[in-house]
């Protein structure tokens, strides 16, 4: 009896110790350090870096998604590396090099599947989120971009070379693929609305975008802003824009124009143009503050030292500032009171109040690019 | 048609001949060009130049090109692809320096 009591006491002490070690991950995030193949674990509330995790390969153009419990991050590297990071233990929990050249990924709504879109070999590969074992392979014969998750254990992705969009339904015993041709010439990226309904791909090969209504039984390409740059000389594009973070103000959203110094406003229901805002340079990201009241825009080389803030009611630029050389990415805190901005060539992450525009803190980072807060775990398409 | 080709060829050669020398690039400028290649060319061609949306630019991938030809591709881009003309941002000496830098690959 006495021995049993001792055993129980020991077990309880162990449990207590484990509880004391619990890490709350809800206000954490990871920052890609693109040149050194590392990620920086950051704390949003403390505005601080907590740890650096190394050994992730070539992280140019890297991005990541989170598991539903916000404990694991899946990092998609340029060199085809898929790395699973344990935020609690601050270490790599698994890594596979799944292709020669990759461009991004997504996690299914149930958190069980991680998909990666690849340039080489072109296509999408799907992995078990626990083990990183491959469970499906969809060769497309094309560089594949714009991969997102949508409700119903589905992934949607688009082909740069062939201009097709595929919907992969992973809910059954065997994957089911729906192919939608004729999305346009050279789609470069895509996004999906937070409700998973509207998928929009931007086109590099022509002025315009193409939308799909994924709630339709048989989605058909819908042309958006065809020929938006008509009559204007298209400028050289030194960096492809990104479609992510979608600005909804009432019923409108805002998108970066390719090869032009402007962002484009579109009615979310009719998909008709409702306005344009002239910008400092060619926009790379046009990202809505989570409440949709502001849109923050950064720019392509060589105008990439500047950020502009647009008010969504008036569509006017209300603030412009220069955080430093090579502003690559911006991430809002989930309720939008602060924004974290990576300034690559300054080697800093800079944190700003989105109401006063005051700079609150700088954090050192090695060539920082993408910033990803764990709250993304609960957002479709991010 | 052959005449057009000949004119084009002549223009091309003239342009190549007119290219400045990479020697004109100062060490400071060279450092900033190297940064540009790794970071900004790297956005499309990969940090290690193994390719991405853009073609691979490793030494093996481009060793059959003359530096002058590569410099012209940098300056004028490749129409119909995502490769932009860099002439608005780079001088001919800059472009030639980058071409030689890429051709020297890892040995640099």
């Amino acid at each position: 009896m006495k021995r049993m009591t001792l055993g129980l006491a020991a077990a309880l002490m162990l449990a207590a110790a484990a509880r004391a070690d619990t890490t709350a991950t809800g206000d954490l995030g990871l920052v890609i350090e693109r040149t050194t193949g590392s990620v920086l674990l950051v704390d949003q509330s403390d505005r601080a870096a907590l740890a650096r995790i190394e050994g992730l390969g070539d992280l140019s153009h890297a991005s990541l998604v989170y598991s539903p419990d916000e404990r694991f991050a899946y990092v998609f590297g340029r060199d085809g590396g898929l790395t699973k990071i344990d935020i609690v233990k601050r270490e790599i929990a698994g890594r596979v090099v799944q292709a020669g050249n990759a461009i991004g990924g997504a996690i299914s709504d149930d958190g069980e599947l991680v998909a990666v879109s690849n340039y080489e070999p072109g296509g999408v590969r799907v992995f078990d989120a626990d083990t990183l074992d491959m469970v499906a392979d969809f060769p497309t014969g094309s560089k594949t971009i714009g991969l997102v998750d949508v409700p119903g254990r589905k992934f949607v992705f688009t082909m740069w070379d062939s201009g097709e969009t595929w919907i992969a339904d992973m809910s059954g015993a065997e994957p089911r693929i729906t192919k939608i041709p004729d999305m346009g010439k050279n789609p470069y990226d895509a996004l999906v609305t937070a409700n998973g309904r509207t998928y929009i791909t931007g086109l590099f090969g022509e002025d315009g975008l193409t939308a799909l209504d994924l709630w339709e039984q048989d989605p058909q390409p819908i042309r958006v802003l065809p020929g938006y740059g008509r009559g204007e000389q298209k400028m050289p594009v030194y960096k492809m824009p990104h479609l992510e973070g979608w600005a909804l103000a009432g019923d409108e959203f805002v998108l970066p124009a390719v090869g032009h110094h402007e962002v484009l406003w579109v009615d979310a229901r009719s998909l008709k143009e409702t306005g344009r805002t002239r910008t400092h340079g060619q926009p790379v990201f046009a990202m809505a503050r989570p409440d949709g009241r502001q849109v923050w825009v950064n720019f392509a080389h060589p105008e990439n030292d500047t950020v502009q803030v647009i008010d969504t009611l008036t569509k006017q630029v209300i603030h412009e500032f220069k955080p430093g050389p090579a502003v690559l990415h911006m991430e809002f805190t989930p309720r939008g009171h602060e924004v974290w901005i990576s300034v690559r060539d300054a080697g800093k992450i800079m944190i700003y109040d989105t109401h006063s525009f005051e700079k609150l803190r700088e954090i050192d980072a090695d060539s920082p690019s993408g910033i990803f807060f764990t709250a993304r775990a609960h957002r479709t398409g991010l | 048609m052959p005449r057009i080709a000949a004119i084009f060829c002549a223009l091309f050669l003239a342009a190549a001949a007119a290219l400045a020398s990479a020697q004109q690039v100062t060490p400071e400028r060279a450092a900033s060009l190297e940064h540009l290649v790794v970071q900004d060319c790297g956005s499309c061609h990969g940090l290690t130049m193994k390719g991405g949306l853009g073609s691979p630019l490793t030494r093996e991938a481009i060793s059959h090109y003359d530096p002058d030809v590569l410099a012209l591709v940098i300056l004028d881009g490749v129409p119909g692809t995502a490769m932009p003309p860099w002439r608005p941002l780079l001088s001919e000496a800059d472009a030639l320096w980058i071409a030689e830098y890429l051709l020297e690959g890892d040995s640099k």
Side-chain angles (χ1 to χ4, degrees):
Chain A
M1 182 68 192
K2 195 168 182 185
R3 187 185 302 175
M4 222 177 116
T5 313
L6 270 175
L8 187 67
L12 282 172
M13 278 170 66
L14 276 175
R19 266 179 66 173
D21 282 345
T22 297
T23 304
T25 57
D27 62 352
L28 301 185
L30 291 167
V31 179
I32 304 287
E33 295 184 306
R34 63 201 300 274
T35 347
T36 44
S38 51
V39 292
L40 204 59
L41 179 64
V42 293
D43 185 316
Q44 217 181 89
S45 313
D46 294 345
R47 301 189 193 118
L50 302 178
R52 173 172 282 127
I53 299 153
E54 297 175 309
L56 285 84
D58 179 352
L59 292 186
S60 62
H61 207 287
S63 61
L64 59 87
V65 297
Y66 288 103
S67 63
D69 61 4
E70 299 185 7
R71 173 167 180 173
F72 298 103
Y74 301 89
V75 184
F76 310 105
R78 164 73 83 185
D79 55 4
L82 165 60
T83 311
K84 181 178 180 179
I85 289 182
D86 184 334
I87 294 173
V88 173
K89 291 187 174 168
R90 303 180 178 184
E91 64 186 27
I92 291 175
R95 177 170 160 83
V96 290
V97 177
Q98 53 84 39
N101 204 309
I103 193 63
I107 187 164
S108 60
D109 52 2
D110 58 7
E112 290 179 1
L113 302 171
V114 173
V116 192
S117 59
N118 293 318
Y119 281 164
E120 184 53 52
V124 168
R125 287 178 169 161
V126 184
F127 299 83
D128 181 303
D130 271 337
T131 62
L132 301 186
D133 291 335
M134 187 158 79
V135 296
D137 185 10
F138 305 117
T140 60
S142 163
K143 290 177 177 170
T144 302
I145 55 97
L147 168 64
V148 300
D149 60 286
V150 296
R153 208 170 147 102
K154 290 178 187 165
F155 294 109
V156 184
F157 45 93
T158 296
M159 278 50 100
W160 162 266
D161 303 287
S162 62
E164 278 188 1
T165 293
W166 291 10
I167 302 170
D169 182 342
M170 306 293 295
S171 62
E174 290 296 319
R176 255 196 15 238
I177 295 274
T178 306
K179 298 181 184 181
I180 299 146
D182 198 23
M183 292 290 284
K185 191 171 175 215
N186 290 143
Y188 65 86
D189 196 11
L191 58 71
V192 69
T193 44
N195 60 5
R197 176 169 185 176
T198 311
Y199 180 83
I200 293 198
T201 183
L203 304 175
F204 176 79
E206 56 187 281
D207 276 351
L209 303 101
T210 307
L212 291 174
D213 182 351
L214 299 175
W215 285 7
E216 298 272 343
Q217 196 60 40
D218 180 23
Q220 295 298 318
I222 304 160
R223 303 288 168 201
V224 181
L225 302 178
Y228 60 70
R230 221 189 318 267
E232 286 177 42
Q233 181 68 40
K234 191 167 174 167
M235 287 173 272
V237 178
Y238 295 114
K239 183 165 172 61
M240 283 289 172
H242 286 245
L243 298 178
E244 182 204 290
W246 141 289
L248 269 178
D251 290 329
E252 288 172 292
F253 58 86
V254 63
L255 297 160
V258 181
H260 303 280
H261 288 191
E262 56 191 13
V263 295
L264 311 166
W265 298 82
V266 174
D267 182 280
R269 284 205 191 115
S270 69
L271 299 175
K272 301 289 183 218
E273 178 178 337
T274 53
R276 296 177 183 204
T277 303
R278 191 90 193 143
T279 53
H280 171 74
Q282 290 184 39
V284 174
F285 282 101
M287 303 182 83
R289 199 172 68 180
D291 63 351
R293 181 62 204 271
Q294 295 173 350
V295 176
W296 290 56
V297 187
N298 73 328
F299 304 99
H301 182 90
E303 271 97 32
N304 58 0
D305 61 345
T306 301
V307 169
Q308 285 183 320
V309 183
I310 302 171
D311 174 69
T312 40
L313 288 184
T314 62
K315 301 185 175 70
Q316 300 290 314
V317 174
I318 53 166
H319 185 58
E320 176 177 326
F321 64 109
K322 294 188 186 298
V327 172
L328 291 196
H329 194 226
M330 301 171 283
E331 176 86 335
F332 293 93
T333 53
R335 298 208 192 178
H337 68 302
E338 291 176 9
V339 64
W340 289 41
I341 297 180
S342 54
V343 188
R344 186 192 68 201
D345 293 349
K348 305 269 187 208
I349 302 155
M350 300 185 184
I351 305 170
Y352 293 86
D353 183 302
T354 61
H355 295 274
S356 68
F357 304 124
E358 182 195 347
K359 192 198 282 183
L360 303 171
R361 181 74 63 88
E362 291 184 354
I363 297 175
D364 289 333
D366 209 323
S367 293
S369 59
I371 305 171
F372 303 88
F373 290 143
T374 51
R376 285 172 174 254
H378 313 297
R379 294 276 311 275
T380 292
L382 286 186
Chain B
M1 191 64 194
R3 190 192 306 185
I4 291 172
I7 289 171
F8 183 78
C9 204
L11 277 175
F12 187 83
L13 285 173
L19 278 179
S21 152
Q23 305 304 318
Q24 292 169 0
V25 170
T26 63
E28 295 76 42
R29 182 64 181 161
S32 83
L33 289 174
E34 182 170 16
H35 185 77
L36 177 92
V37 170
V38 172
Q39 298 290 357
D40 295 296
C41 303
S43 317
C44 276
H45 296 281
L47 278 176
T48 53
M49 300 295 139
K50 286 182 185 157
L53 196 57
S55 330
L57 298 180
T58 52
R59 189 160 51 156
E60 306 77 69
I62 57 171
S63 59
H64 55 291
Y65 288 109
D66 282 336
D68 287 352
V69 172
L70 288 178
L72 278 176
V73 170
I74 294 167
L75 289 170
D76 296 329
V78 182
T81 75
M83 177 64 185
W86 288 81
R87 205 178 277 281
L89 304 177
L90 297 175
S91 71
E92 292 181 346
D94 289 341
L96 197 58
W97 186 92
I98 291 172
E100 289 177 355
Y101 174 83
L102 291 171
L103 285 166
E104 283 168 42
D106 294 338
S107 66
K108 190 121 188 171

